[in-house]
Coordinates of all heavy atoms in Angstrom, one line a residue:
M266 N 112.2 109.6 98.0 CA 110.9 108.9 97.6 C 109.9 109.9 97.0 O 109.8 111.0 97.6 CB 110.3 108.2 98.8 CG 109.2 107.3 98.5 SD 108.7 106.3 99.9 CE 107.5 107.4 100.7
M267 N 109.3 109.6 95.9 CA 108.4 110.5 95.3 C 107.1 110.7 96.1 O 106.5 109.7 96.6 CB 108.0 110.0 93.9 CG 107.2 111.0 93.1 SD 106.7 110.4 91.5 CE 108.2 110.4 90.6
K268 N 106.6 111.9 96.3 CA 105.4 112.1 97.1 C 104.2 111.7 96.3 O 104.1 111.9 95.1 CB 105.3 113.6 97.5 CG 106.1 114.0 98.6 CD 105.8 115.3 99.1 CE 106.7 115.7 100.2 NZ 106.5 117.1 100.7
K269 N 103.2 111.0 96.9 CA 102.0 110.6 96.3 C 100.8 111.5 96.8 O 100.7 111.6 98.0 CB 101.6 109.2 96.6 CG 102.6 108.2 95.9 CD 102.2 106.8 96.3 CE 103.4 105.9 95.8 NZ 103.3 104.5 96.3
I270 N 100.1 112.1 95.9 CA 99.0 113.0 96.2 C 97.6 112.3 95.8 O 97.5 111.9 94.7 CB 99.1 114.3 95.5 CG1 100.5 114.9 95.7 CG2 98.0 115.3 96.0 CD1 100.8 115.5 97.1
L271 N 96.6 112.4 96.7 CA 95.3 111.9 96.4 C 94.5 113.2 96.1 O 94.4 114.1 96.9 CB 94.7 111.2 97.5 CG 93.2 110.9 97.4 CD1 92.9 109.9 96.3 CD2 92.6 110.3 98.7
V272 N 93.8 113.2 94.9 CA 93.0 114.3 94.5 C 91.5 113.7 94.3 O 91.3 112.9 93.4 CB 93.4 114.9 93.2 CG1 92.5 116.1 92.8 CG2 94.9 115.5 93.3
T273 N 90.7 114.2 95.2 CA 89.2 113.8 95.1 C 88.6 114.8 94.1 O 88.9 116.0 94.1 CB 88.5 113.8 96.4 OG1 88.6 115.1 97.0 CG2 89.1 112.8 97.4
G274 N 87.7 114.3 93.3 CA 87.1 115.1 92.2 C 88.1 115.5 91.1 O 88.0 116.5 90.4
G275 N 89.1 114.6 90.9 CA 90.2 114.9 90.0 C 89.9 114.8 88.5 O 90.8 115.2 87.7
T276 N 88.7 114.4 88.2 CA 88.4 114.5 86.7 C 87.5 115.7 86.4 O 87.1 115.9 85.3 CB 87.7 113.2 86.3 OG1 86.6 112.9 87.1 CG2 88.6 112.0 86.2
G277 N 87.2 116.5 87.4 CA 86.4 117.7 87.2 C 87.2 118.8 86.7 O 88.4 118.6 86.4
Y278 N 86.6 120.0 86.5 CA 87.3 121.1 85.9 C 88.5 121.6 86.7 O 89.7 121.5 86.3 CB 86.4 122.3 85.7 CG 87.0 123.5 85.1 CD1 87.4 123.6 83.8 CD2 87.4 124.6 86.0 CE1 88.0 124.7 83.3 CE2 88.0 125.7 85.5 CZ 88.3 125.7 84.1 OH 89.0 126.8 83.6
I279 N 88.3 121.9 88.0 CA 89.4 122.4 88.9 C 90.3 121.2 89.2 O 91.5 121.3 89.1 CB 88.8 123.0 90.2 CG1 88.0 124.2 89.9 CG2 89.9 123.3 91.2 CD1 87.2 124.8 91.0
G280 N 89.7 120.0 89.5 CA 90.5 118.9 89.8 C 91.5 118.5 88.7 O 92.7 118.2 89.0
S281 N 91.0 118.4 87.5 CA 91.9 117.9 86.4 C 93.0 118.9 86.2 O 94.2 118.5 85.9 CB 91.1 117.7 85.1 OG 90.5 118.9 84.7
H282 N 92.8 120.2 86.3 CA 93.8 121.2 86.1 C 94.8 121.1 87.2 O 96.1 121.2 87.0 CB 93.3 122.6 86.0 CG 92.6 122.9 84.7 ND1 91.4 122.4 84.3 CD2 93.1 123.5 83.6 CE1 91.1 122.8 83.1 NE2 92.1 123.5 82.6
T283 N 94.3 120.8 88.4 CA 95.2 120.6 89.6 C 96.1 119.4 89.4 O 97.3 119.4 89.6 CB 94.4 120.4 90.9 OG1 93.6 121.6 91.0 CG2 95.3 120.2 92.1
V284 N 95.5 118.3 88.9 CA 96.3 117.1 88.6 C 97.4 117.3 87.6 O 98.5 116.8 87.8 CB 95.3 115.9 88.2 CG1 96.1 114.7 87.7 CG2 94.4 115.5 89.3
V285 N 97.1 118.0 86.6 CA 98.1 118.3 85.6 C 99.3 119.1 86.2 O 100.5 118.7 86.0 CB 97.5 119.2 84.4 CG1 98.6 119.7 83.5 CG2 96.6 118.3 83.6
Q286 N 99.0 120.1 87.0 CA 100.0 120.8 87.7 C 100.9 120.0 88.6 O 102.1 120.1 88.7 CB 99.4 122.0 88.5 CG 98.7 123.1 87.7 CD 99.7 123.8 86.8 OE1 100.8 124.2 87.2 NE2 99.3 124.0 85.5
L287 N 100.2 119.1 89.4 CA 100.9 118.2 90.3 C 101.8 117.3 89.6 O 103.0 117.1 90.0 CB 99.9 117.4 91.2 CG 99.1 118.2 92.2 CD1 97.9 117.4 92.7 CD2 100.0 118.8 93.3
L288 N 101.3 116.7 88.5 CA 102.2 115.8 87.7 C 103.4 116.5 87.1 O 104.5 116.0 87.1 CB 101.3 115.1 86.6 CG 100.3 114.1 87.0 CD1 99.4 113.8 85.9 CD2 100.9 112.9 87.6
Q289 N 103.1 117.7 86.6 CA 104.2 118.5 86.0 C 105.2 119.0 87.0 O 106.4 119.3 86.7 CB 103.6 119.7 85.2 CG 102.9 119.2 83.9 CD 102.3 120.4 83.1 OE1 102.0 121.4 83.7 NE2 102.0 120.1 81.9
A290 N 104.8 119.0 88.3 CA 105.7 119.3 89.4 C 106.5 118.1 89.8 O 107.3 118.1 90.8 CB 105.0 119.9 90.6
G291 N 106.2 116.9 89.2 CA 106.9 115.7 89.5 C 106.3 114.8 90.6 O 107.0 113.9 91.1
L292 N 105.1 115.1 91.0 CA 104.4 114.3 92.0 C 103.6 113.2 91.4 O 103.2 113.3 90.2 CB 103.5 115.2 92.8 CG 104.2 116.3 93.6 CD1 103.3 117.4 94.0 CD2 105.0 115.8 94.8
E293 N 103.4 112.1 92.2 CA 102.6 111.0 91.7 C 101.2 111.3 92.2 O 101.0 111.7 93.3 CB 103.2 109.7 92.3 CG 102.8 108.5 91.6 CD 103.6 107.3 92.2 OE1 104.7 107.5 92.8 OE2 103.1 106.2 92.0
V294 N 100.2 111.0 91.3 CA 98.8 111.4 91.6 C 97.9 110.2 91.5 O 97.9 109.5 90.5 CB 98.3 112.6 90.7 CG1 96.9 112.9 91.0 CG2 99.3 113.8 90.9
C295 N 97.0 110.1 92.5 CA 95.9 109.2 92.4 C 94.6 110.0 92.5 O 94.5 110.9 93.3 CB 96.0 108.2 93.6 SG 94.6 107.1 93.8
V296 N 93.6 109.7 91.6 CA 92.4 110.4 91.5 C 91.2 109.5 92.0 O 91.1 108.3 91.5 CB 92.1 110.9 90.1 CG1 90.7 111.3 89.9 CG2 93.1 112.0 89.7
I297 N 90.4 110.0 92.9 CA 89.1 109.3 93.2 C 88.0 110.3 92.8 O 88.0 111.4 93.2 CB 89.0 108.9 94.7 CG1 90.0 107.8 95.0 CG2 87.6 108.5 95.0 CD1 90.0 107.4 96.5
D298 N 87.1 109.8 92.0 CA 86.0 110.6 91.5 C 84.8 109.7 91.2 O 85.0 108.6 90.7 CB 86.4 111.3 90.2 CG 85.5 112.5 89.9 OD1 84.3 112.3 89.7 OD2 86.0 113.6 89.8
N299 N 83.6 110.1 91.6 CA 82.4 109.2 91.3 C 81.8 109.5 89.9 O 80.8 108.9 89.5 CB 81.4 109.3 92.4 CG 80.7 110.6 92.4 OD1 80.9 111.5 91.6 ND2 79.8 110.8 93.5
L300 N 82.4 110.4 89.2 CA 82.1 110.7 87.8 C 80.6 111.3 87.7 O 80.0 111.2 86.6 CB 82.3 109.5 86.9 CG 83.7 108.9 86.8 CD1 83.7 107.7 86.0 CD2 84.7 110.0 86.3
C301 N 80.1 111.9 88.8 CA 78.7 112.4 88.7 C 78.7 113.7 87.8 O 77.6 114.1 87.4 CB 78.2 112.7 90.1 SG 79.0 114.0 91.0
N302 N 79.9 114.3 87.7 CA 79.9 115.6 86.8 C 81.1 115.6 86.0 O 81.6 116.7 85.7 CB 79.8 116.8 87.8 CG 79.4 118.0 87.0 OD1 78.8 118.0 86.0 ND2 79.8 119.2 87.6
S303 N 81.6 114.5 85.5 CA 82.8 114.4 84.7 C 82.8 113.0 84.0 O 82.0 112.2 84.3 CB 84.0 114.6 85.5 OG 84.1 113.7 86.6
K304 N 83.8 112.9 83.1 CA 84.0 111.6 82.4 C 85.3 111.0 82.6 O 86.3 111.8 82.7 CB 83.8 111.9 80.9 CG 82.4 112.3 80.5 CD 82.1 112.3 79.0 CE 80.8 112.8 78.6 NZ 79.6 112.3 79.3
V305 N 85.4 109.7 82.6 CA 86.6 109.0 82.9 C 87.7 109.3 81.8 O 88.9 109.2 82.0 CB 86.4 107.5 83.0 CG1 86.0 106.8 81.7 CG2 87.6 106.8 83.7
E306 N 87.2 109.7 80.6 CA 88.1 110.0 79.5 C 89.1 111.1 79.8 O 90.2 111.3 79.2 CB 87.3 110.4 78.2 CG 86.6 109.3 77.5 CD 85.3 108.8 78.2 OE1 84.9 109.5 79.1 OE2 84.8 107.8 77.8
V307 N 88.7 111.9 80.8 CA 89.6 113.0 81.3 C 91.0 112.5 81.7 O 92.0 113.1 81.5 CB 88.9 113.8 82.4 CG1 89.9 114.8 83.1 CG2 87.7 114.6 81.9
I308 N 90.9 111.3 82.3 CA 92.2 110.7 82.8 C 93.1 110.5 81.6 O 94.3 110.8 81.6 CB 91.9 109.3 83.5 CG1 91.1 109.6 84.8 CG2 93.2 108.6 83.8 CD1 91.9 110.3 85.9
D309 N 92.6 110.0 80.5 CA 93.4 109.8 79.3 C 94.0 111.1 78.8 O 95.1 111.2 78.3 CB 92.6 109.2 78.1 CG 92.2 107.7 78.4 OD1 92.9 107.1 79.2 OD2 91.1 107.3 77.9
Q310 N 93.1 112.1 78.8 CA 93.6 113.4 78.3 C 94.7 114.0 79.2 O 95.7 114.6 78.7 CB 92.4 114.4 78.3 CG 91.4 114.1 77.2 CD 90.0 114.7 77.4 OE1 89.8 115.4 78.4 NE2 89.1 114.5 76.5
I311 N 94.6 113.8 80.5 CA 95.6 114.3 81.4 C 96.9 113.5 81.1 O 98.0 114.1 81.1 CB 95.2 114.0 82.9 CG1 94.0 114.9 83.3 CG2 96.4 114.2 83.8 CD1 93.4 114.6 84.7
Q312 N 96.8 112.2 80.9 CA 98.0 111.4 80.6 C 98.7 111.8 79.3 O 99.9 111.8 79.2 CB 97.7 109.9 80.7 CG 97.3 109.5 82.1 CD 97.0 108.0 82.3 OE1 97.3 107.5 83.3 NE2 96.4 107.4 81.3
K313 N 97.8 112.2 78.3 CA 98.3 112.6 77.0 C 99.1 114.0 77.2 O 100.1 114.2 76.6 CB 97.2 112.8 76.0 CG 97.2 111.7 74.9 CD 96.1 112.0 73.9 CE 95.5 110.7 73.5 NZ 94.2 110.8 72.9
I314 N 98.5 114.9 77.9 CA 99.0 116.2 78.1 C 100.4 116.1 78.8 O 101.3 116.8 78.5 CB 98.1 117.1 78.9 CG1 96.9 117.5 78.0 CG2 98.8 118.4 79.4 CD1 95.7 118.1 78.8
T315 N 100.4 115.3 79.9 CA 101.6 115.3 80.7 C 102.6 114.2 80.4 O 103.8 114.3 80.8 CB 101.2 115.1 82.2 OG1 100.5 113.8 82.3 CG2 100.3 116.2 82.7
G316 N 102.1 113.2 79.7 CA 103.0 112.0 79.4 C 103.3 111.2 80.7 O 104.2 110.4 80.7
K317 N 102.4 111.4 81.7 CA 102.6 110.7 82.9 C 101.4 109.9 83.3 O 100.3 110.1 82.9 CB 102.9 111.7 84.1 CG 104.3 112.3 83.8 CD 104.7 113.2 84.9 CE 106.0 113.8 84.5 NZ 106.5 114.8 85.4
Q318 N 101.6 108.8 84.1 CA 100.5 108.0 84.5 C 99.7 108.5 85.7 O 100.3 109.1 86.6 CB 101.0 106.6 84.9 CG 99.9 105.6 85.2 CD 100.5 104.2 85.6 OE1 101.7 104.0 85.7 NE2 99.6 103.3 85.8
V319 N 98.4 108.4 85.6 CA 97.5 108.8 86.7 C 96.8 107.5 87.2 O 96.3 106.7 86.4 CB 96.4 109.8 86.3 CG1 95.5 110.2 87.4 CG2 97.1 111.0 85.7
Y320 N 96.8 107.3 88.5 CA 96.0 106.1 89.1 C 94.6 106.6 89.3 O 94.4 107.6 89.9 CB 96.7 105.7 90.3 CG 98.1 105.3 90.1 CD1 99.1 106.2 90.3 CD2 98.4 104.0 89.6 CE1 100.5 105.8 90.1 CE2 99.7 103.7 89.4 CZ 100.7 104.6 89.6 OH 102.1 104.2 89.3
F321 N 93.6 105.9 88.8 CA 92.2 106.3 88.9 C 91.4 105.2 89.6 O 91.5 104.1 89.2 CB 91.6 106.6 87.6 CG 90.1 107.0 87.6 CD1 89.7 108.2 88.2 CD2 89.2 106.1 87.2 CE1 88.4 108.5 88.3 CE2 87.8 106.3 87.3 CZ 87.4 107.6 87.8
A322 N 90.5 105.7 90.5 CA 89.5 104.8 91.1 C 88.2 105.5 91.1 O 88.1 106.6 91.6 CB 89.9 104.3 92.5
K323 N 87.1 104.8 90.6 CA 85.8 105.4 90.6 C 85.1 105.1 92.0 O 85.1 104.0 92.4 CB 84.9 104.9 89.5 CG 83.5 105.5 89.4 CD 82.7 104.9 88.4 CE 81.3 105.4 88.5 NZ 80.4 104.8 87.6
G324 N 84.6 106.2 92.6 CA 84.0 106.0 93.9 C 83.8 107.2 94.7 O 84.1 108.3 94.2
D325 N 83.2 107.1 95.9 CA 82.9 108.2 96.8 C 83.5 108.0 98.1 O 83.2 107.0 98.8 CB 81.4 108.3 96.9 CG 80.9 109.6 97.5 OD1 81.7 110.2 98.4 OD2 79.9 110.1 97.1
I326 N 84.4 108.9 98.5 CA 85.1 108.7 99.8 C 84.2 108.8 101.0 O 84.6 108.4 102.1 CB 86.3 109.6 100.0 CG1 85.9 111.1 99.9 CG2 87.4 109.3 99.0 CD1 87.0 112.0 100.4
R327 N 83.0 109.3 100.8 CA 82.0 109.3 101.9 C 81.4 108.0 102.2 O 80.8 107.8 103.2 CB 80.9 110.3 101.6 CG 81.4 111.8 101.5 CD 80.3 112.7 101.0 NE 79.9 112.3 99.6 CZ 79.0 112.9 98.9 NH1 78.4 114.0 99.4 NH2 78.7 112.5 97.7
D328 N 81.6 107.0 101.2 CA 81.1 105.7 101.4 C 82.2 104.9 102.3 O 83.3 104.7 101.9 CB 81.0 105.0 100.0 CG 80.6 103.6 100.1 OD1 80.8 102.9 101.2 OD2 80.2 103.0 99.1
R329 N 81.8 104.6 103.5 CA 82.8 104.1 104.5 C 83.4 102.8 104.0 O 84.7 102.6 104.2 CB 82.1 103.8 105.8 CG 83.0 103.4 106.9 CD 82.2 103.4 108.2 NE 81.8 104.7 108.7 CZ 82.4 105.4 109.5 NH1 83.5 105.0 110.1 NH2 82.0 106.6 109.9
S330 N 82.7 101.9 103.4 CA 83.3 100.6 103.0 C 84.3 100.9 101.8 O 85.3 100.2 101.7 CB 82.2 99.6 102.5 OG 81.4 100.1 101.5
Y331 N 83.9 101.8 100.9 CA 84.8 102.1 99.8 C 86.1 102.8 100.4 O 87.2 102.4 100.0 CB 84.1 103.2 98.9 CG 85.0 103.6 97.8 CD1 85.1 102.9 96.6 CD2 85.7 104.8 97.9 CE1 85.9 103.4 95.6 CE2 86.5 105.3 96.9 CZ 86.6 104.5 95.7 OH 87.4 104.9 94.7
F332 N 86.0 103.7 101.3 CA 87.1 104.3 101.9 C 88.0 103.3 102.6 O 89.3 103.4 102.4 CB 86.6 105.4 102.9 CG 87.7 106.3 103.4 CD1 88.1 107.4 102.6 CD2 88.4 106.1 104.6 CE1 89.1 108.3 103.0 CE2 89.4 107.0 105.0 CZ 89.7 108.0 104.2
K333 N 87.4 102.4 103.3 CA 88.2 101.4 104.0 C 89.0 100.5 103.0 O 90.1 100.0 103.3 CB 87.3 100.5 104.8 CG 86.9 101.1 106.2 CD 87.9 100.7 107.2 CE 87.7 101.3 108.5 NZ 88.8 101.3 109.4
K334 N 88.4 100.3 101.9 CA 89.1 99.4 100.9 C 90.4 100.1 100.4 O 91.4 99.4 100.2 CB 88.2 99.3 99.6 CG 88.7 98.4 98.6 CD 87.6 98.3 97.4 CE 88.3 97.8 96.2 NZ 87.4 97.9 95.0
Y335 N 90.4 101.4 100.3 CA 91.6 102.1 99.8 C 92.5 102.6 100.9 O 93.7 102.9 100.7 CB 91.2 103.3 98.9 CG 90.7 102.8 97.5 CD1 89.4 102.6 97.3 CD2 91.7 102.5 96.6 CE1 89.0 102.1 96.1 CE2 91.3 102.0 95.3 CZ 90.0 101.8 95.1 OH 89.5 101.3 93.9
F336 N 91.9 102.8 102.1 CA 92.7 103.2 103.2 C 92.4 102.3 104.4 O 91.8 102.6 105.4 CB 92.3 104.6 103.6 CG 92.5 105.6 102.5 CD1 91.5 106.0 101.7 CD2 93.8 106.2 102.2 CE1 91.6 106.8 100.6 CE2 93.9 107.0 101.2 CZ 92.9 107.4 100.4
P337 N 92.9 101.0 104.3 CA 92.6 100.0 105.3 C 93.1 100.3 106.7 O 92.5 99.8 107.7 CB 93.3 98.7 104.7 CG 94.2 99.2 103.7 CD 93.7 100.5 103.2
S338 N 94.1 101.1 106.8 CA 94.6 101.4 108.2 C 93.9 102.6 108.8 O 94.3 102.9 109.9 CB 96.1 101.6 108.1 OG 96.4 102.8 107.3
S339 N 92.9 103.2 108.1 CA 92.3 104.3 108.7 C 91.4 103.9 109.9 O 90.9 102.8 109.9 CB 91.4 105.0 107.7 OG 90.3 104.2 107.3
S340 N 91.3 104.8 110.9 CA 90.4 104.4 112.1 C 89.0 104.9 111.9 O 88.7 105.7 111.1 CB 91.0 105.1 113.3 OG 91.0 106.5 113.2
D341 N 88.1 104.3 112.6 CA 86.7 104.6 112.5 C 86.4 105.9 113.3 O 86.1 106.9 113.2 CB 85.7 103.5 113.0 CG 85.8 102.3 112.1 OD1 85.9 102.5 110.9 OD2 85.8 101.2 112.7
Ligands
LIG657 O1 80.0 113.9 95.5 C1 80.7 114.2 94.5 C2 80.6 115.4 93.8 C3 81.5 115.7 92.7 N1 82.4 114.7 92.4 C4 83.3 115.0 91.3 O2 84.1 116.1 91.6 C5 84.5 116.8 90.5 C6 84.3 118.2 90.6 O3 83.0 118.5 90.8 P1 82.3 119.9 90.3 O4 81.6 119.6 89.0 O5 81.4 120.3 91.4 O6 83.4 121.0 90.2 P2 84.3 121.4 89.0 O7 85.4 122.1 89.6 O8 84.6 120.3 88.1 O9 83.4 122.5 88.2 C7 82.7 123.5 88.9 O10 83.4 124.7 88.7 C8 83.7 125.1 87.4 C9 84.4 126.4 87.4 O11 85.4 126.5 88.4 C10 82.3 125.3 86.6 O12 81.6 126.4 87.2 C11 81.5 124.0 86.7 O13 80.2 124.2 86.1 C12 81.3 123.6 88.2 O14 80.7 122.3 88.3 C13 83.7 116.1 89.3 O15 84.6 115.4 88.5 C14 82.7 115.3 90.0 O16 82.4 114.1 89.2 C15 82.5 113.5 93.1 O17 83.4 112.7 92.8 N2 81.7 113.3 94.1

């Protein structure tokens, strides 16, 4: 089974470069970023560079209701 990695801040400078490396290593990547210091277009650029799909969700994991939506089995 392919490993899935969650990268928070994955459209930022360090995050996007990390995502490219992870994809090129054959891992599946999901990015959560609130886009306060980056643009969603970065996802398209990553996909163009790697030829691989990135799952993207805009939001902040510090927001409890948002976190629960994506990680419903997490405990309080
Ligand atoms: O509460 C937050 C804060 C940030 N982000 C996102 O996290 C990513 C990374 O944030 P930063 O901008 O703090 O970090 P970067 O690694 O992208 O860039 C930082 O490091 C770079 C060099 O390493 C440059 O110095 C740059 O100016 C500096 O912001 C961004 O996409 C931003 O939108 C969130 O989703 N939530």
Side-chain angles (χ1 to χ4, degrees):
M266 194 170 83
M267 188 185 286
K268 284 191 179 175
K269 291 180 189 163
I270 309 288
L271 170 66
V272 179
T273 57
T276 52
Y278 178 76
I279 294 168
S281 61
H282 284 77
T283 302
V284 171
V285 167
Q286 294 294 317
L287 291 169
L288 290 169
Q289 289 177 339
L292 298 162
E293 204 172 335
V294 179
C295 174
V296 168
I297 292 179
D298 196 303
N299 69 5
L300 302 177
C301 69
N302 196 25
S303 58
K304 294 193 184 310
V305 71
E306 287 77 12
V307 169
I308 295 295
D309 293 333
Q310 291 163 359
I311 291 171
Q312 293 182 145
K313 251 184 218 161
I314 289 167
T315 62
K317 297 186 178 172
Q318 185 179 5
V319 179
Y320 302 94
F321 175 73
K323 182 181 174 188
D325 192 327
I326 59 167
R327 293 171 299 183
D328 177 343
R329 188 173 292 263
S330 60
Y331 177 85
F332 192 81
K333 278 274 178 198
K334 183 178 162 193
Y335 285 94
F336 302 95
S338 61
S339 65
S340 59
D341 291 323

